[in-house]
Amino acid sequence: MSQKTQKVQAKKKTAQAVMFGNARGLVAMGTLAAYAVMGANRPAMAAVWKIDPSGNGASATLPLKRFDIAVGPLDAAIEAYEKATGLSVKIVLPNGTLAGFNSHGVTGLYREDEALRLLLNGTGLNYRAEDATTMVVGVQAKDTVSVTSAVPDSISMGKFTEPLLETAQSVSVVPTFVLQDEGVSTLRDTLRNVPGISLAAGEAGAQGDNLTIRGFTARNDIFLDGIRDFGSYYRDSFNYEQVEALEGPAGIQFGRGSTGGVINQESKVPQVDKFVHVDTQFGTDLTRRITADINSPIANELGGAAFRVNVMAQEGGVAGRDAAEIRRFGFAPSISIGMDTKTRTTLSYMHLSEDDTPDYGLPWLFNKLAPANRHSYFGFPDENYLKTSDDIMTLKVEHEFSPSLNLHTIARAANYPRQAQITEPQICSNAGLSVPVGGVVTSLPTLAYNSAITCPYTPNTPASEITQLNRNQIQVKSVEGDLWDQTEVVARFKTWKMRHDFVAGAEGGQEISNPIRYSYTINKINTVPETTLLNPNEDQPFGGTGYITSIVHTKSKSVGLYFLDTIKISKFFELSGGIRWDRFDTDYNLAAPTPPAGGTVTAAVAPISRLDEQPSYRAALVYKPSTHGSVYFDYGTSFNPDAESLSLSVGLVNGNVKPEENESYEGGAKWSFLNDRLLMEGAVFRTEKDNAHETDPTNSNNIVAAGNQLVKGAQFSVVGRLPEGMDLVAGYAYLDNKVIFSQYFPTSVGYPLANVPTQTFNLFVTHRLPLGLNGGVGSNYVGSRTASSTVPYVPTGYAVNPNGPGFVVTSVAMKQVPGYWIFNAMIKHPLTEKIEFQANVNNLLNRYYIDLPHPSHLVPGAGANAIIGVNFKF
C-alpha cells in the first residue's frame, strides 16, 4: 500500500467520525477531500460524500416533496432542484466541468437528499449536507471505488432514454474495469462475460467474429456506436469505452436481425481532463502488446474542445497452437468541439489492420473430434494468411434545443477489405441428413480429399491409420463497406400530467459486399497435397491449382423509420412502446469465370433483386417498487430478410420466400445495492423464430420458409464495484432450445440448435490482498453444443440394404463438442502512484477443449498462458 493511500485512509477514518447535525436531520458520514493535479492548470477535486445508508435516524424523517425535473444537462437539473427545495447547492468542481454531465432527472415524491442522489446517479458525482441550507456536490474519490470506472447505470445510445434499472430488457454492460482486470484484448473475449452468448468459428466465406445470442446467430448484429459494424474481421478492444450486450427483442432500435439480441461497441471519445495511459503486455505465448490512450483539451475558445487518440500494436501466438500468429495494429484519433455548448460535435476515425497466420484447428471424425494431437497444425504457415485493413470514419453531432429537446445525428463511412487463405482439415464428407437407425441412405460418406471414393474410415479408426487428411483451402478476396446516417430526436414532455420520454428516428444508407472465391478441386480431387492425421508436415511446400469459382457483387439500400415512447404513468409504473418500419432492397449478381478442365464453378446468376418491407413492434411495462429496483415485462418482434448477410440465391427470389419472423417475450427484475455499487438482474424469456429458411439438400435453388425454432430460458447477472478493491462480474444462463418444425429436415425436430449450450456460466472477482496486492480469480463454463440445426446427429454404422439399393443405418451419434470449464487468475500491484504491475494467467489448468465449433472444423481453445504487463498513468 502506498504512503499516499495510507494517508488518505487515515483521513477518511478521521472524517467519518464527524457528524453533521442541523434542523433538517442528521447526516451520518463526513467528508474526505483528496486533491490531485492532472495536467497543466486543471486541478481535480475528489471527495467521498455519503448520506446515512442505514435508513435510520433523522434523515428518514425528512418531509417528502414532489419533484418534476426532466432528463437533461446536470447544471439545469440542479437549478430546478434548488427552486423545488429552497436549498443552495455548492459545486466543488473546476469551472465549466459541470456542463459535461447529464442527469436522468427525477419525478415523483422524494426526500430532498434522495432526490439529489437520483439527479447525480450515473455521473460519478455525490453529495453531502454542509449545513441546514446547503448541499455540496463533488467527485467521488479513488477510495476503494474507481473514479473513472463506476458500475455502468446507462446505455450509451440516445435511443435508450431510461437508466439501466428502468430499461425493460436484459442488458449486460461490460465496463472498462472488467476488461482491465481480465487483460482482455478482443471483443470475443469481452463477450465471455455475458451469459447467454456462445462463440463459434468463422465461416468459409466470412471470417471474423461469429457468435450466437440466446440461441440465434448474431454474426450480423454487431454494432459500433449504434450503427451496424458490417465488416468480417476480428474486433480489438483497444478503443472501447464499454461493450453493451442487449439480449431479447431489439428490432425497434436496430432494425433487421437482432433475433436474440445485439452487441454494441461504444468507442472512447475526448474528455475534459488531460491524461495519458500506456499499457504494455508480454506473454508466454510470445505476445507483445502495447496500447496508449492520450487525451488533451486543446481550446477553450471553441466552446470547449479536446483531442483523444488510442493506439495499439500487437504481435503474438496462441498457446498450444504453435503455428498460429496474430499481428494487429490500431489507430483511433477523435476530436470534439463545443463540449461546453448546446451543439457538440465529435469526429472520429478508426483504422484496424490485421495480418495473421490463421488457424482452423482440427478435423471432425464423423460425430466427434478426431484423435489428433492438440498442437497439430494442418495448414501451410508460409501460405496461409488472413489480412484485413478496416477504416471507419464517424461524425456525431448533437444539438440541445432545451433540456427537454435534443437532436443528434451520426454519419459513417466504412471500408472493410480482406484477403484470406486458410486450410480447413477434413477427413470424411459431412452427412447431408440425419437418418435414424433402420433408415436407408443411397450412398456412404466420401473421402474429403477425393469425393469420388467412399471414406475408408469409421468413428473408431485409430489415428495412425488415418493417412488421407484433406487440406481444404478456403480462399477469398473481398471488400465490404457501408455509408450510413442515423438521426434521432429525443423529447421530454407531459400530457395529462404524465411524463413522456419520446424518441423518433430515421436511418438509412447502403451496404456493399464484393467477394471473389476460389477452389483447388479438379475432377473431385483436391490438388493441394493431402497429409496424415498424426504427422502433418507444416514445412511441406504449398502446391495446387487454384481458380476463381465466383465473383459476386451485392448492394443493399435500406431505410428505417421508428419511434419509441416511455410514459411515466405514476411514480411506480412506466409504459413504453414503439413501432418501426424497414425497407431493405438488395441487388445481387454472380459471375462465373471459365474453370480449368475438370474444375467446377458456381453457376452464374444474372442480376436479381429482392425487396423486403417489414414492421417491428415493441411494448413493455415497468413497475418500480423502489428507487433501487424495477420489475418489467417486455414483448417485441424482429425479422431477418432474405439478403440479411448481403447474399441472395435464385431460390430466394423465384420462390418469393418471406423473411424470417421472430417474436420474443421477457419478464425480469433489476436491483441495485450498496449505494448503487452492485447491480443485479434476472430474467425469463421465450423467443420463437417462424419461417426459418431451409434449403433442399438435393436442390440448392429450392428454398422454403418453413422452419420453426424455439429458445426459452432464464438468465442472471451481477456486476459490482465494492469496498476493499472488490470488482465482481458474474452471470448464468439456461437455454432450452430446439427445432419445433422442419420441412426438409424432420429428424431434427426436438434437437438443439447449432452452437447453443444449454448452460453457460461466467465469473470474475477481484479483492484487495496483503502487501498492497490486488488479486482476482475467474471461471467460465460452456455446456456441450451441437454442430448443426439441420443435421444434429450423423450415421456411424451401415449395412447393405437387403431389400434394395442403398445402405441401412445401423447406428447414429450426436455430432457435438463436449462442455468445458476453464479457470483464470490475476494479480496486480501499484509500484508507484502512476505505475502498476499486472499479471494474468489464463486457462490455469491447461484444459484441452473446443472453443469455436463449426460443422466442418473445430478450433481448440488456447492452452495455459501468462500475460505480464506494466500500466502507466500520467
Side-chain angles (χ1 to χ4, degrees):
M1 182 180 297
S2 68
Q3 291 183 351
K4 180 177 180 180
T5 303
Q6 293 173 340
K7 291 178 180 178
V8 167
Q9 291 186 344
K11 289 182 179 179
K12 178 183 175 184
K13 292 178 181 178
T14 301
Q16 288 177 339
V18 180
M19 309 297 287
F20 294 101
N22 52 54
R24 292 188 176 273
L26 183 63
V27 179
M29 292 297 186
T31 64
L32 164 67
Y35 297 88
V37 176
M38 295 186 65
N41 302 320
R42 279 197 170 262
M45 178 175 287
V48 174
W49 321 94
K50 297 179 180 178
I51 295 292
D52 180 8
S54 67
N56 301 319
S59 65
T61 66
L62 288 174
L64 296 177
K65 290 190 176 182
R66 182 168 293 280
F67 294 89
D68 187 13
I69 302 176
V71 176
L74 182 57
D75 50 3
I78 287 179
E79 289 180 11
Y81 174 84
E82 290 177 320
K83 291 179 181 178
T85 62
L87 296 172
S88 174
V89 178
K90 182 189 297 185
I91 308 298
V92 286
L93 294 169
N95 291 335
T97 303
L98 196 64
F101 293 95
N102 286 311
S103 170
H104 294 303
V106 58
T107 301
L109 292 171
Y110 295 96
R111 300 193 315 264
E112 293 166 347
D113 59 332
E114 184 69 4
L116 185 55
R117 186 190 68 79
L118 291 173
L119 286 180
L120 300 176
N121 190 22
T123 64
L125 304 175
N126 218 318
Y127 66 97
R128 68 173 173 88
E130 183 173 75
D131 54 41
T133 61
T134 306
M135 304 293 281
V136 181
V137 172
V139 181
Q140 291 180 350
K142 190 176 182 181
D143 164 28
T144 54
V145 179
S146 170
V147 175
T148 58
S149 301
V151 173
D153 74 333
S154 63
I155 305 171
S156 59
M157 294 166 285
K159 55 173 64 73
F160 293 89
T161 59
E162 310 309 311
L164 277 180
L165 277 178
E166 300 172 24
T167 299
Q169 185 169 358
S170 292
V171 181
S172 297
V173 179
V174 185
T176 303
F177 71 81
V178 173
L179 306 184
Q180 293 172 340
D181 285 348
E182 296 180 340
V184 165
S185 62
T186 63
L187 175 64
R188 185 168 57 192
D189 288 337
T190 299
L191 295 178
R192 300 183 195 276
N193 293 290
V194 180
I197 291 182
S198 50
L199 306 174
E203 299 288 345
Q207 292 69 44
D209 295 312
N210 191 11
L211 64 149
T212 62
I213 302 178
R214 284 191 178 172
F216 298 97
T217 180
R219 181 179 190 87
N220 298 306
D221 296 323
I222 301 175
F223 289 73
L224 178 63
D225 301 321
I227 290 182
R228 196 179 306 273
D229 187 20
F230 184 69
S232 294
Y233 67 106
Y234 292 104
R235 293 157 178 85
D236 194 283
S237 64
F238 80 102
N239 196 41
Y240 290 169
E241 192 63 51
Q242 63 184 33
V243 174
E244 300 154 346
L246 296 94
E247 300 183 72
I252 291 290
Q253 297 94 338
F254 297 98
R256 76 180 194 262
S258 64
T259 308
V262 302
I263 303 300
N264 183 60
Q265 311 154 88
E266 185 64 19
S267 301
K268 295 177 180 177
V269 294
Q271 304 293 317
V272 296
D273 293 321
K274 183 177 182 179
F275 60 80
V276 177
H277 296 166
V278 179
D279 296 342
T280 62
Q281 292 180 320
F282 301 90
T284 56
D285 56 3
L286 302 182
T287 291
R288 291 151 290 167
R289 178 181 172 93
I290 182 170
T291 61
D293 183 358
I294 304 169
N295 186 88
S296 177
I298 56 175
N300 290 325
E301 59 270 17
L302 296 176
F307 173 79
R308 188 172 186 175
V309 60
N310 281 267
V311 183
M312 176 275 302
Q314 176 176 343
E315 288 188 351
V318 177
R321 305 295 298 161
D322 299 340
E325 293 184 2
I326 298 171
R327 293 174 286 270
R328 294 194 188 113
F329 173 74
F331 176 65
S334 58
I335 185 170
S336 293
I337 62 174
M339 298 172 69
D340 300 330
T341 71
K342 292 187 176 182
T343 302
R344 297 172 285 276
T345 302
T346 299
L347 178 65
S348 61
Y349 165 75
M350 185 181 77
H351 172 80
L352 179 61
S353 60
E354 188 162 12
D355 185 4
D356 295 350
T357 301
D359 179 19
Y360 264 19
L362 307 172
W364 287 93
L365 183 58
F366 290 93
N367 65 304
K368 59 187 178 181
L369 173 67
N373 185 296
R374 174 180 183 175
H375 305 280
S376 292
Y377 184 79
F378 295 95
F380 302 87
D382 294 334
E383 296 292 335
N384 289 158
Y385 55 84
L386 173 60
K387 300 178 181 180
T388 60
S389 184
D390 308 310
D391 296 287
I392 303 172
M393 180 76 74
T394 306
L395 175 67
K396 301 178 185 178
V397 181
E398 179 180 7
H399 180 71
E400 183 182 294
F401 294 96
S402 72
S404 299
L405 184 63
N406 180 283
L407 177 70
H408 56 266
T409 186
I410 177 170
R412 173 168 297 156
N415 192 54
Y416 307 97
R418 60 190 171 97
Q419 298 182 61
Q421 182 172 327
I422 306 173
T423 299
E424 179 182 58
Q426 301 172 335
I427 297 175
C428 298
S429 60
N430 286 321
L433 291 168
S434 289
V435 179
V437 172
V440 176
V441 296
T442 57
S443 61
L444 298 178
T446 60
L447 187 66
Y449 175 71
N450 182 351
S451 59
I453 63 175
T454 300
C455 184
Y457 310 120
T458 73
N460 299 316
T461 301
S464 60
E465 297 180 12
I466 300 177
T467 58
Q468 289 182 291
L469 185 140
N470 184 44
R471 288 165 158 169
N472 180 43
Q473 297 302 299
I474 297 171
Q475 187 172 354
V476 62
K477 181 178 181 180
S478 185
V479 176
E480 279 76 46
D482 63 31
L483 292 170
W484 203 263
D485 182 82
Q486 180 186 101
T487 300
E488 292 177 334
V489 60
V490 179
R492 297 173 177 88
F493 55 89
K494 280 188 173 182
T495 60
W496 297 290
K497 297 184 179 181
M498 292 186 296
R499 177 177 149 188
H500 296 252
D501 290 341
F502 180 83
V503 178
E507 63 177 325
Q510 72 173 27
E511 299 162 276
I512 63 168
S513 179
N514 299 314
I516 301 173
R517 297 186 174 91
Y518 298 77
S519 175
Y520 286 81
T521 298
I522 295 179
N523 293 322
K524 297 185 177 182
I525 300 175
N526 188 1
T527 59
V528 176
E530 60 185 323
T531 189
T532 65
L533 182 63
L534 284 186
N535 298 298
N537 185 359
E538 297 178 9
D539 299 322
Q540 183 177 4
F542 177 81
T545 302
Y547 57 94
I548 296 175
T549 60
S550 65
I551 302 173
V552 174
H553 297 283
T554 310
K555 177 185 289 187
S556 290
K557 298 179 180 179
S558 55
V559 62
L561 305 173
Y562 56 94
F563 79 86
L564 302 98
D565 191 14
T566 300
I567 306 172
K568 317 286 185 178
I569 300 175
S570 70
K571 175 184 176 181
F572 298 103
F573 290 97
E574 295 179 2
L575 179 66
S576 63
I579 301 174
R580 180 180 178 118
W581 174 81
D582 282 284
R583 186 179 192 272
F584 193 63
D585 186 4
T586 302
D587 297 319
Y588 175 93
N589 68 77
L590 185 155
T594 302
T600 303
V601 298
T602 305
V605 175
I608 58 176
S609 298
R610 172 76 191 190
L611 174 63
D612 288 301
E613 296 178 322
Q614 187 89 0
S616 300
Y617 306 96
R618 176 182 173 87
L621 177 66
V622 177
Y623 169 58
K624 300 186 295 180
S626 163
T627 57
H628 296 286
S630 67
V631 180
Y632 67 89
F633 175 78
D634 187 19
Y635 166 80
T637 68
S638 62
F639 75 102
N640 303 87
D642 302 320
E644 177 184 9
S645 59
L646 268 62
S647 179
L648 271 176
S649 72
V650 175
L652 287 172
V653 177
N654 293 344
N656 195 27
V657 180
K658 296 180 180 180
E660 298 177 336
E661 297 180 347
N662 315 298
E663 192 173 51
S664 297
Y665 301 86
E666 179 177 321
K670 303 182 181 185
W671 224 268
S672 68
F673 301 91
L674 303 177
N675 198 25
D676 297 328
R677 293 182 177 182
L678 184 71
L679 177 63
M680 304 175 72
E681 64 175 81
V684 293
F685 50 85
R686 184 185 193 276
T687 301
E688 183 172 346
K689 178 185 286 291
D690 295 328
N691 299 334
H693 292 171
E694 295 185 344
T695 302
D696 188 337
T698 63
N699 180 2
S700 61
N701 287 325
N702 188 15
I703 300 174
V704 297
N708 294 82
Q709 301 169 352
L710 175 66
V711 177
K712 55 184 179 179
Q715 72 179 62
F716 171 82
S717 64
V718 56
V719 59
R721 302 225 75 179
L722 306 175
E724 299 301 323
M726 185 174 181
D727 293 344
L728 170 67
V729 58
Y732 169 80
Y734 175 83
L735 303 178
D736 179 8
N737 61 101
K738 59 186 176 182
V739 177
I740 56 178
F741 180 78
S742 175
Q743 177 174 320
Y744 287 133
F745 305 93
T747 55
S748 68
V749 172
Y751 282 89
L753 305 180
N755 189 39
V756 184
T758 301
Q759 298 185 81
T760 57
F761 170 78
N762 65 274
L763 169 70
F764 199 87
V765 58
T766 67
H767 199 276
R768 184 169 296 160
L769 302 174
L771 304 177
L773 298 173
N774 194 280
V777 293
S779 65
N780 287 85
Y781 171 75
V782 178
S784 63
R785 292 168 282 174
T786 60
S788 172
S789 298
T790 55
V791 189
Y793 62 89
V794 296
T796 55
Y798 306 88
V800 175
N801 183 12
N803 300 317
F807 303 86
V808 177
V809 176
T810 58
S811 62
V812 298
M814 286 286 293
K815 188 175 183 180
Q816 63 181 359
V817 296
Y820 64 87
W821 281 94
I822 57 171
F823 300 91
N824 309 308
M826 178 275 294
I827 193 166
K828 59 183 175 182
H829 177 65
L831 303 177
T832 70
E833 293 183 7
K834 296 181 179 180
I835 303 176
E836 180 182 67
F837 168 86
Q838 179 171 334
N840 290 78
V841 181
N842 303 307
N843 193 3
L844 273 167
L845 303 181
N846 198 27
R847 291 286 177 82
Y848 178 25
Y849 66 98
I850 297 301
D851 185 31
L852 307 175
H854 183 275
S856 297
H857 63 272
L858 299 164
V859 180
N865 65 94
I867 300 291
I868 299 172
V870 179
N871 307 323
F872 304 85
K873 296 181 180 181
F874 305 99

